């Protein structure tokens, strides 16, 4: 019963309320509340601060959430090996990825993985914004840039450039910038990461770095939409080479100012804190890492 109550506790965190966790598990709100109270009584601490509108983790609750997922994963792995044999992978996996990368390399590898492991189910959440991996219950998150949360487990997948690019149609109508400063006269397709607009754009490094404030008539928090706008000839975009390499090779996009490229930034795979991941998560992580690392650059 203790393990079942811990699993319910994690479901409450994932869904954001006792009521939503009850709907997901088929339990009444009263039963969910009673089982949470029993879990808190077992440990002798308060795990969740609860108001009529929201819940939040106490320090003890956060510690339990961080450790419990790996423990439950190990128990589930043991059950799988006993019931289905050592080679069978079963169960759900929740993955978060940037919108553009998620629609291409990540989703393609997930399709291949599911064909090989039909007893697995995968939920893929696409966003270019901040993700609370522990609070939202993700097993794997793929992200560009440096990780600021030191509690997360990180696997480096290499470095990738951000590529300045535009469609041939846009270049035919508006010309190609010769220097970074020329971008001030062009329509630039901008990303918003959380509350931060991706402007100005930085080129080069060190003493040779150039910082160019750019503007445009389209801004989105969805990298895949910015990619579509760029392909449609609406303007110039600054994209990861992972997202646009195939388009550049096929001539659908043209790389601009390659001699002024931005410094490469890391691509990383993130995991919740804990001692061990279920075998199914480890297997998918290996598959995704291999697919991303082997993807061709421009």
């Amino acid at each position: 019963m203790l393990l079942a109550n811990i699993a319910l506790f994690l479901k409450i965190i994932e869904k954001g309320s006792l009521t939503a966790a009850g709907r997901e598990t088929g339990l009444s709100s009263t039963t969910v509340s009673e089982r949470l109270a029993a879990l808190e009584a077992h440990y002798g601490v308060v795990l969740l601060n609860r108001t009529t509108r929201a819940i939040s983790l106490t320090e003890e609750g956060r510690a339990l959430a961080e450790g419990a997922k790996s423990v439950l994963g190990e128990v589930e792995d043991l059950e799988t090996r006993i019931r289905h044999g050592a080679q069978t992978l079963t169960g759900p996996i929740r993955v978060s990825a940037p919108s553009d990368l998620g629609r291409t390399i990540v989703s393609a590898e997930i399709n291949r993985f599911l064909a090989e492991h039909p007893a697995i189910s995968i939920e893929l959440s696409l966003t270019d914004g901040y993700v609370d991996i522990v609070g939202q219950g993700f097993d794997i998150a793929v992200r560009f840039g440096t990780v600021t949360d030191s509690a997360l487990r990180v696997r480096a997948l290499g470095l990738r450039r951000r590529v300045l690019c535009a469609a041939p149609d846009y270049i035919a109508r508006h010309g190609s910038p010769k220097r970074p400063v020329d971008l001030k006269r062009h329509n630039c397709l901008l990303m918003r990461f959380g509350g931060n607009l991706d402007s100005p754009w930085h080129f080069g490094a060190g003493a040779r770095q150039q910082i160019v404030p750019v503007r445009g008539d389209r801004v989105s928090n969805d990298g895949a939409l910015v990619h579509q706008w760029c392909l449609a000839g609406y303007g110039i975009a600054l994209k990861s080479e992972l997202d646009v390499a195939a388009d550049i090779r096929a001539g659908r996009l043209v790389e601009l100012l390659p001699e002024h490229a931005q410094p490469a930034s890391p691509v990383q795979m993130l995991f919740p804190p804990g001692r061990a991941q279920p075998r199914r998560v480890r297997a998918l992580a290996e598959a995704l890492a291999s697919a991303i690392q082997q993807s061709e650059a421009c």
Side-chain angles (χ1 to χ4, degrees):
M1 192 62 184
L2 175 61
L3 289 177
N5 285 346
I6 291 175
L8 180 60
F9 169 67
L10 294 179
K11 183 63 68 175
I12 293 169
I13 299 171
E14 176 189 336
K15 296 300 176 182
S17 74
L18 277 67
T19 301
R23 284 196 300 267
E24 179 78 8
T25 57
L27 300 173
S28 68
S29 297
T30 300
T31 299
V32 173
S33 181
E34 290 173 349
R35 287 178 55 178
L36 175 60
L39 187 63
E40 291 179 325
H42 174 82
Y43 289 112
V45 297
V46 175
L47 300 171
L48 288 176
N49 295 313
R50 303 186 285 282
T51 69
T52 56
R53 295 190 175 186
I55 61 171
S56 63
L57 287 166
T58 63
E59 286 302 313
E60 294 79 6
R62 184 172 295 277
L64 178 60
E66 290 175 354
K69 195 162 189 178
S70 63
V71 173
L72 292 176
E74 290 173 4
V75 171
E76 190 174 340
D77 270 353
L78 179 60
E79 283 197 354
T80 298
R81 290 197 296 270
I82 293 172
R83 293 186 181 188
H84 304 286
Q87 302 307 313
T88 302
L89 298 179
T90 67
I93 307 174
R94 300 190 73 231
V95 180
S96 173
S99 61
D100 217 345
L101 183 64
R103 286 178 169 88
T104 53
I105 296 172
V106 173
S107 63
E109 188 56 30
I110 283 175
N111 291 339
R112 188 205 62 77
F113 187 83
L114 289 175
E116 185 176 339
H117 303 286
I120 293 287
S121 64
I122 297 176
E123 178 183 338
L124 176 60
S125 175
L126 303 181
T127 178
D128 293 298
Y130 168 79
V131 172
D132 181 355
I133 295 173
V134 175
Q136 294 179 254
F138 287 109
D139 300 294
I140 301 171
V142 179
R143 283 291 175 267
F144 294 117
T146 304
V147 178
T148 57
D149 188 344
S150 60
L152 297 176
R153 298 166 62 189
V154 179
R155 175 174 178 173
L157 301 181
L159 299 173
R160 293 290 175 155
R161 298 181 300 134
R162 292 184 76 191
V163 177
L164 196 69
C165 55
D169 175 64
Y170 177 87
I171 295 172
R173 288 182 287 115
H174 301 283
S176 178
K178 305 302 180 186
R179 303 168 300 164
V181 70
D182 295 341
L183 292 169
K184 292 181 178 180
R185 300 192 295 272
H186 283 268
N187 193 49
C188 296
L189 307 171
L190 301 180
M191 279 287 299
R192 188 178 294 280
F193 298 98
N196 300 316
L197 185 66
D198 186 27
S199 176
W201 287 349
H202 297 246
F203 299 91
R208 301 184 64 181
Q209 186 181 61
Q210 298 182 61
I211 301 174
V212 181
V214 293
R215 297 185 303 172
D217 62 2
R218 287 170 172 81
V219 179
S220 178
N221 64 347
D222 186 325
L225 180 56
V226 171
H227 190 173
Q228 290 175 18
W229 286 340
C230 191
L231 286 168
Y234 291 130
I236 296 174
L238 188 59
K239 296 287 297 176
S240 167
E241 64 181 345
L242 281 171
D243 297 335
V244 298
D247 293 314
I248 290 175
R249 286 195 300 272
R252 293 184 293 268
L253 292 176
V254 176
E255 182 176 359
L256 305 173
L257 302 176
E259 68 278 14
H260 295 282
Q262 290 193 334
S265 62
V267 184
Q268 299 177 317
M269 189 176 290
L270 313 179
F271 308 93
R275 291 171 295 172
Q277 301 154 319
R279 283 192 311 131
R280 64 180 183 276
V281 174
R282 295 198 302 271
L284 178 60
E286 287 298 326
L288 290 175
S290 178
I292 291 171
Q293 289 172 328
Q294 293 177 17
S295 61
E296 297 181 40
C298 301

